[in-house]
Amino acid sequence: MIATWEMREIGGAFLLGGALAVAAALLAGYWLVRRFERTHARQRQFVSDASHELRTPLTAIRGQVEVLAREQQPEAAEVRRVGGVVLEEVSRIERLVDDLLEFSRLEEEASLRLEPVAVEPFLRRLAAEAPGGDVTLGELPSGTVRTDPERLTQVVRNLLDNAGRHAGQSGRVELSATAHGERLTIRVDDDGPGIPPAERERVFDRFHRSETARDRDSGGSGLGLAICRAIVDLHGGSIWVEDSPLGGARVAFEVPGFEGG
């Protein structure tokens, strides 16, 4: 027979084990609730920011249409002017919606289709396809990088588009890359007003807008650099802003998987 003290020990062990299990469940539940609250808060902020960004062009469209509606017989030149403004704002909404959908897909489908990509021809093609075709090529390494080519194309195109919109009077934009070991660094430089040090981390936030000349009337959705960071993060890399030797901003990112050729 089991002695009384042994039964007490067994009972105590069961009680202790049960208490620990309950404590662990409560702790797991607490962290789950906190995680849900943080996620919910981010979603609320995202919806709020997106609503604000959509309201701006819609307000502009409404204002222009109301001005036109007050005219009994508007002149043809005024109709064309308002039509041009409306089309520009509709294009802005389309870019914003496209970027919102892309950002949502990145958050829901956090996966990559990795394959080796020859770096030099890949970057040469993107430079040639850039709007305006005024991208200068700098140093390019010979070799391949194991990456998702579709996602990497998004990053480089977004950075080239961003640099092109913010370039100075001469419109100088340069694309270059270097490799150190298995790490590949790709850089996009422009000769625009640059980005102040205090803004350099925040430019990768969703819908971030600064008061600098670089951001005023830039025509972007406010999501391009946030999409770039999300894709680079998926690759296990990093992205940052620094001063450019061209006088403006340099946006650079580093990803693993490079192999020299």
Side-chain angles (χ1 to χ4, degrees):
M1 294 181 61
I2 301 176
T4 302
W5 64 272
E6 289 178 326
M7 293 184 65
R8 285 179 184 152
E9 280 196 353
I10 293 172
F14 273 118
L15 287 174
L16 179 60
L20 289 174
V22 170
L26 289 173
L27 185 60
Y30 169 77
W31 287 115
L32 186 62
V33 169
R34 288 295 303 275
R35 182 179 177 184
F36 174 79
E37 288 175 345
R38 288 195 296 270
T39 301
H40 190 52
R42 287 197 300 270
Q43 288 175 340
R44 284 202 309 269
Q45 186 63 48
F46 183 72
V47 171
S48 174
D49 291 341
S51 300
H52 174 76
E53 292 295 322
L54 285 168
R55 189 180 299 117
T56 301
L58 288 173
T59 301
I61 290 172
R62 179 175 180 172
Q64 293 296 320
V65 172
E66 286 177 345
V67 168
L68 197 62
R70 286 196 291 267
E71 300 289 335
Q72 292 293 333
Q73 292 181 325
E75 296 181 0
E78 181 65 5
V79 173
R80 286 194 297 271
R81 185 194 67 79
V82 171
V85 172
V86 170
L87 286 174
E88 183 179 342
E89 294 300 330
V90 168
S91 295
R92 182 177 175 184
I93 292 172
E94 288 176 341
R95 289 193 299 270
L96 176 59
V97 171
D98 287 343
D99 283 348
L100 283 169
L101 291 172
E102 180 58 31
F103 201 90
S104 176
R105 279 194 291 266
L106 282 171
E107 289 192 328
E108 293 176 2
E109 303 172 9
S111 61
L112 299 170
R113 295 183 177 91
L114 299 178
E115 60 182 79
V117 173
V119 175
E120 185 176 353
F122 175 78
L123 294 180
R124 286 189 181 278
R125 175 177 60 82
L126 292 179
E129 293 173 353
D134 295 328
V135 176
T136 302
L137 284 169
E139 178 185 359
L140 298 177
S142 176
T144 63
V145 63
R146 188 164 178 76
T147 184
D148 185 322
E150 181 180 345
R151 294 303 190 190
L152 193 64
T153 295
Q154 284 180 275
V155 175
V156 177
R157 280 181 174 163
N158 274 350
L159 295 185
L160 289 174
D161 176 67
N162 185 68
R165 285 187 286 107
H166 296 118
Q169 292 286 345
S170 63
R172 294 182 64 194
V173 175
E174 181 175 290
L175 174 63
S176 62
T178 55
H180 298 282
E182 65 167 12
R183 311 290 293 189
L184 174 69
T185 302
I186 297 175
R187 304 176 184 85
V188 175
D189 292 275
D190 67 63
D191 64 348
I195 300 174
E199 298 282 339
R200 291 178 181 176
E201 180 60 29
R202 286 183 286 170
V203 295
F204 298 104
D205 292 342
R206 297 177 299 194
F207 302 114
H208 173 73
R209 299 287 188 188
S210 73
E211 294 302 317
T212 65
R214 187 178 179 91
D215 268 352
R216 296 193 196 104
D217 301 321
S218 67
S221 68
L223 282 170
L225 290 178
I227 290 172
C228 288
R229 181 170 64 177
I231 294 172
V232 171
D233 285 348
L234 280 177
H235 279 82
S238 57
I239 187 168
W240 65 93
V241 177
E242 59 191 24
D243 290 330
S244 168
L246 299 184
R250 164 179 285 176
V251 183
F253 67 95
E254 182 185 72
V255 291
F258 178 79
E259 185 175 338

